Amino acid sequence: MAGRRSAGVLLFRRTGPDVEVLLAHMGGPFWARKDAGAWSLPKGEHEPDEEPRAAARREFTEELGTPPPADGWVDLGDVRQSGGKVVSAWAVEGDFDPERLVPGTFDLEWPKGSGVVRQFPEVDRVAWFPLDGVGPRLVSSQRAFLVRLAQHLADRAAPG
């Protein structure tokens, strides 16, 4: 898995003094009954020759069924997940109604070894969570993106 790269978008919105982030619950049978560690920013893998920000835009659109906002992207850097995959992320302010989710799908032999290939949604639901209250739902390595977004917003709010 070393060498694999993903890119994604962390959509956020302001609700009065608070900030919320949009997270996606991973689709497929493995994640169906899990909550802890089963949420992620909308993201996906890309080839080495694809520009990561373009991949983040593409993956957001594929996973949610709508493109992310075009302007105001904030580079949140990279994290390395436990399996070795490097994830690059950008935050962008916007809104999305979770009822409008139209996820992409993937094929998977299920049950494993059955010879039956079924289609599953890449994301089975999305939801808004308080920036400071996502807790253990988010994939642990991606929590760094929340910290970086919070720092970016604090820096912008500081008198200067």
Side-chain angles (χ1 to χ4, degrees), residues 61-65 101-106 119-123:
T61 303
E62 286 178 9
E63 291 195 354
L64 275 62
L101 176 66
V102 182
T105 59
F106 67 95
Q119 219 174 48
F120 294 95
E122 290 185 44
V123 168

Side-chain angles (χ1 to χ4, degrees), residues 33-47:
R33 291 190 170 88
K34 296 180 189 220
D35 191 58
W39 293 80
S40 172
L41 63 141
K43 65 167 186 54
E45 289 190 17
H46 64 89
E47 297 298 323

